[in-house]
Amino acid sequence: MVRTIIIAILCISCAIRCAKAFTSPQTRSSITIANAATNGQRHSYVSGTSTTSLPMAQISEAEAKKGIDKVVAALRRDKAAKQELGNLTKVNNILGYGSPKAGQIAVRFNASFKKGGMGLSSVPLPFGLGQSNESEGRGTMVGQVKASLDEKSGKVVECSVFRDLGYGRAFNLKV
């Protein structure tokens, strides 16, 4: 009984010491410096440690949609992409967009690709008219497209399509 109480007290005191060790002090002085010598980068110095944050350009949703449309057009035009992936039928989700470098737009989205094939439905039509010509959905693949475009010219600089949302092979568009 006494041994259990002593072990419990030791565990609680150890937990309190660990909690104090991982909490930051309440009063900190911070200095932020931005000047021409640091190329516009902001440096923040807090009690001997420094962190750097780089300014990134923001793009609008309309610019991102224009960029996605250009990437979709490039993938639909490319014969190697059609042979490897199939025809790009639709853009499912827009995952993200931004401008990691000055003058460059980066977009990421999911798209459906469909390869040719019959894939006829086996559901019989009424009154013994045979089978319908509606597609069953065979040959459809969803891939994640990651692309970079030049902001001024709108030309696709780099484009990769990850099959099966990144778990399969990747297709790199030749630009």
Side-chain angles (χ1 to χ4, degrees), residues 118-126 128-134 136 138:
M118 289 297 283
L120 297 178
S121 175
S122 62
V123 177
L125 292 173
L129 295 174
Q131 295 180 344
S132 69
N133 289 332
E134 292 193 20
E136 264 184 357
R138 287 190 202 151

Side-chain angles (χ1 to χ4, degrees), residues 75-149:
L75 284 170
R76 285 183 176 157
R77 273 193 317 263
D78 192 57
K79 289 182 182 178
K82 282 185 182 180
Q83 183 180 5
E84 179 98 15
L85 304 168
N87 292 325
L88 194 150
T89 56
K90 67 177 180 175
V91 174
N92 297 342
N93 296 329
I94 297 173
L95 301 174
Y97 56 88
S99 182
K101 295 179 187 173
Q104 192 174 26
I105 296 173
V107 293
R108 190 176 279 240
F109 58 93
N110 288 343
S112 293
F113 296 89
K114 182 169 179 133
K115 285 195 171 188
M118 289 297 283
L120 297 178
S121 175
S122 62
V123 177
L125 292 173
F127 309 113
L129 295 174
Q131 295 180 344
S132 69
N133 289 332
E134 292 193 20
S135 164
E136 264 184 357
R138 287 190 202 151
T140 300
M141 183 270 301
V142 176
Q144 191 176 94
V145 181
K146 175 185 168 188
S148 296
L149 297 99

Side-chain angles (χ1 to χ4, degrees), residues 3-169:
R3 187 181 290 169
T4 308
I5 293 173
I6 292 173
I7 291 174
I9 292 172
L10 288 174
C11 289
I12 291 172
S13 67
C14 182
I16 291 171
R17 286 183 196 158
C18 288
K20 284 182 181 178
F22 289 110
T23 57
S24 61
Q26 296 298 327
T27 58
R28 288 200 279 180
S29 62
S30 115
I31 303 168
T32 302
I33 301 171
N35 59 16
T38 60
N39 297 327
Q41 298 176 1
R42 295 188 177 270
H43 297 281
S44 176
Y45 298 97
V46 179
S47 65
T49 62
S50 72
T51 58
T52 303
S53 64
L54 299 173
M56 288 200 176
Q58 299 294 320
I59 65 166
S60 68
E61 188 175 347
E63 290 174 320
K65 284 185 180 181
K66 286 179 188 175
I68 289 172
D69 290 340
K70 290 183 181 184
V71 172
V72 167
L75 284 170
R76 285 183 176 157
R77 273 193 317 263
D78 192 57
K79 289 182 182 178
K82 282 185 182 180
Q83 183 180 5
E84 179 98 15
L85 304 168
N87 292 325
L88 194 150
T89 56
K90 67 177 180 175
V91 174
N92 297 342
N93 296 329
I94 297 173
L95 301 174
Y97 56 88
S99 182
K101 295 179 187 173
Q104 192 174 26
I105 296 173
V107 293
R108 190 176 279 240
F109 58 93
N110 288 343
S112 293
F113 296 89
K114 182 169 179 133
K115 285 195 171 188
M118 289 297 283
L120 297 178
S121 175
S122 62
V123 177
L125 292 173
F127 309 113
L129 295 174
Q131 295 180 344
S132 69
N133 289 332
E134 292 193 20
S135 164
E136 264 184 357
R138 287 190 202 151
T140 300
M141 183 270 301
V142 176
Q144 191 176 94
V145 181
K146 175 185 168 188
S148 296
L149 297 99
D150 184 39
E151 193 172 13
K152 292 187 180 177
S153 67
K155 185 179 177 201
V156 177
V157 176
E158 171 186 18
C159 179
S160 299
V161 180
F162 303 105
R163 295 171 164 227
D164 301 324
L165 302 178
Y167 294 104
R169 293 186 320 201

